[in-house]
Amino acid sequence: MTYAITTRFRGISGIRADSTDPATLIGEVNKAFEAFKAEHSKEVADIKAGMADVVQAEKVDRINAEITDLGKQLDEANKAISALKVGGAGGDAKDPAISEHAKAFSAWFRKGERAIDADIRDLEVKAALSTDKDDDGGYLVPEEMSNTIDRVVGTVSVMRDLATVMQIGTDTYKKLVSMGGAGSGWVGEREGRPETDTPTLRELAFNAQELYANPAITQRALDDSRLDIAAWLANEVSIEFAEQEGAAFISGNGVNKPRGILAYDTVANGSYTWGKIGFTASGVAAALTDGSNNGSDAMIDLYYSLKQQYRNGASWLMTDATMAVARKFKDGDGTYLWSPATAGAEVPTFLGKPVRTDDNMDAVAANAFPIAFGNFSRAYLIVDRFGTRVLRDPFTNKPYVHFYTTKRVGGGVQNFEAIKLLKVST
């Protein structure tokens, strides 16, 4: 049998139109197809090359520039992601030096000097914040840890939320307060101008005292666990600092600690003088109210004992137990003076002013001061000496490793007119 095949691959050599051998014919067809594919690929490449010649040069340049810019943005994003692995979720990109410091801090306080390898030592030296090392081995804590401590302390200690908080770089912050006293007078056009009185100034000094915590953990726990040193230490320290600060800002005596609002001399508001805190009386010897004295009247008196310019922005401060009594007070029409919070982020109000609770305030008792009313941002100043330091101590109490942590903080009244107290007395 003869197979007659007419090729459609014209112009391609190496195939015979007629053959009597099928196997030979099939081989020739395969060779021709491979030759066709090679020719086709060459044509496609030529077409692409021709198209590239048609594209305008400036368009190519613009595309290349966009690609370069996207590459730079990708590099920056990768750097930010790497930094955030140390800094926690969310927030702006962190300085890589801060990340290095956190790594060096964790390594140092987990193992101590003996176990730090060359890479960590190098990080420790290069980390921007680790240069603030004390000669005795104390280090400034990483920025994220310091912020965590401050945030928890601020949440627990309501005074940090109410008062003015200032970072200082020295042991003492001083401010001058004008006590007034400048004289003046009316004169005619040609009359003489005699000398008038000069206003007087008083200096207030706020010293940064030392607050410490000394949590401990065994060396074995440090060696064997995957403990996040910064997170653990921040949690331990923040609780201790919050409790100590909260008490000091209310009742601290000013000796090696802040001076609290209840530690100043007090005087009946009718005889108020600068340097003392004015008070109004409850009218009852050992309670806020009784059958003959309505406690709401005393609260109203306290409200208006504060000057008008301070009432805008003023708050009440008392314990939860005192609030349980005060929220039952009514006016002459039987309307409660206390109003519940109207939204999740708000606080209850009394006579239209926010009520904040702090269990460091006095309980209701004879001659106690269970309620304060004032513009605390103007009345009280908290000063923080920048930086929380940690000293690793594996020697004092073996097998425990102590992390002696210190912070310098102070506080006191800066405007005695801006705060008033309620005294439980007749």
Side-chain angles (χ1 to χ4, degrees):
M1 181 180 294
T2 300
Y3 294 89
I5 299 177
T6 303
T7 181
R8 298 181 63 183
F9 305 102
R10 301 195 181 280
I12 301 176
S13 60
I15 185 171
R16 293 175 297 174
D18 299 295
S19 176
T20 58
D21 184 0
T24 301
L25 183 61
I26 291 172
E28 293 291 335
V29 170
N30 289 336
K31 290 180 181 179
F33 182 72
E34 292 299 325
F36 166 76
K37 287 197 298 181
E39 289 290 333
H40 176 71
S41 298
K42 183 176 181 300
E43 290 179 4
V44 171
D46 291 340
I47 291 171
K48 288 182 178 180
M51 291 176 66
D53 292 337
V54 176
V55 177
Q56 298 178 356
E58 58 270 19
K59 185 175 182 179
V60 175
D61 292 340
R62 177 176 58 80
I63 294 173
N64 286 336
E66 292 177 355
I67 293 174
T68 300
D69 183 60
L70 288 173
K72 292 180 178 178
Q73 294 183 37
L74 180 61
D75 291 340
E76 293 297 325
N78 288 332
K79 290 179 182 178
I81 291 172
S82 298
L84 286 172
K85 288 180 180 179
V86 173
D92 298 331
K94 302 293 190 301
D95 186 340
I98 296 177
S99 301
E100 290 184 356
H101 177 236
K103 184 177 180 181
F105 177 90
S106 182
W108 172 268
F109 286 100
R110 181 183 296 278
K111 295 289 187 178
E113 185 175 8
R114 60 180 175 80
I116 299 180
D117 59 29
D119 292 338
I120 298 301
R121 287 181 186 276
D122 186 49
L123 282 174
E124 180 189 18
V125 173
K126 291 191 300 183
L129 297 180
S130 69
T131 58
D132 291 320
K133 174 183 178 294
D134 283 341
D135 292 337
D136 59 2
Y139 281 83
L140 281 177
V141 302
E143 181 177 312
E144 294 86 355
M145 177 180 165
S146 180
N147 291 340
T148 299
I149 293 173
D150 288 342
R151 183 169 58 252
V152 175
V153 168
T155 300
V156 176
S157 176
V158 69
M159 284 298 292
R160 278 194 174 268
D161 188 32
L162 295 175
T164 295
V165 181
M166 177 183 296
Q167 296 277 353
I168 61 174
T170 60
D171 287 344
T172 304
Y173 170 74
K174 296 180 179 180
K175 64 180 296 184
L176 294 176
V177 178
S178 175
M179 304 306 300
S184 61
W186 298 97
V187 294
E189 181 180 358
R190 295 183 175 85
E191 291 180 352
R193 270 71 170 171
E195 181 180 342
T196 61
D197 293 336
T198 302
T200 58
L201 298 175
R202 288 193 181 180
E203 181 181 82
L204 296 177
F206 300 87
N207 297 316
Q209 307 294 345
E210 185 171 299
L211 177 63
Y212 84 97
N214 196 22
I217 189 171
T218 64
Q219 183 62 57
R220 178 175 293 184
L222 292 175
D223 291 340
D224 296 345
S225 70
R226 300 180 63 183
L227 176 70
D228 184 338
I229 295 294
W232 169 78
L233 189 55
N235 181 64
E236 292 292 319
V237 170
S238 62
I239 295 172
E240 182 64 25
F241 281 5
E243 293 174 350
Q244 293 286 344
E245 282 192 357
F249 296 149
I250 299 299
S251 58
N253 60 12
V255 179
N256 297 328
K257 64 181 67 173
R259 191 171 182 182
I261 60 175
L262 299 184
Y264 288 86
D265 292 337
T266 59
V267 63
N269 200 59
S271 304
Y272 165 78
T273 58
W274 180 267
K276 299 181 180 181
I277 298 180
F279 68 82
T280 60
S282 67
V284 183
L288 296 181
T289 186
D290 65 10
S292 60
N293 289 276
N294 188 345
S296 60
D297 293 340
M299 296 290 282
I300 293 173
D301 289 340
L302 177 59
Y303 180 93
Y304 285 103
S305 69
L306 191 68
K307 290 184 177 180
Q308 183 178 5
Q309 63 264 37
Y310 300 119
R311 288 202 300 269
N312 187 17
S315 302
W316 303 92
L317 187 62
M318 63 189 77
T319 67
D320 280 333
T322 303
M323 183 187 290
V325 176
R327 68 178 296 175
K328 300 172 185 175
F329 291 163
K330 302 177 182 178
D331 62 16
D333 298 326
T335 302
Y336 285 104
L337 303 178
W338 185 92
S339 298
T342 57
E346 296 181 359
V347 296
T349 61
F350 190 92
L351 292 174
K353 298 300 180 182
V355 181
R356 305 301 299 269
T357 60
D358 190 323
D359 285 337
N360 292 295
M361 288 290 291
D362 284 350
V364 176
N367 298 315
F369 297 91
I371 298 176
F373 181 62
N375 189 321
F376 292 95
S377 64
R378 300 181 66 177
Y380 199 83
L381 176 66
I382 297 172
V383 292
D384 286 326
R385 177 72 166 85
F386 180 77
T388 301
R389 291 182 179 273
V390 181
L391 176 65
R392 186 183 193 274
D393 177 14
F395 307 110
T396 301
N397 188 23
K398 298 182 181 67
Y400 293 95
V401 178
H402 287 262
F403 294 90
Y404 179 70
T405 311
T406 59
K407 182 179 180 180
R408 305 283 295 281
V409 59
V413 172
Q414 63 175 341
N415 187 336
F416 293 89
E417 291 186 341
I419 182 172
K420 302 297 178 182
L421 301 171
L422 180 71
K423 183 177 181 179
V424 180
S425 67
T426 56

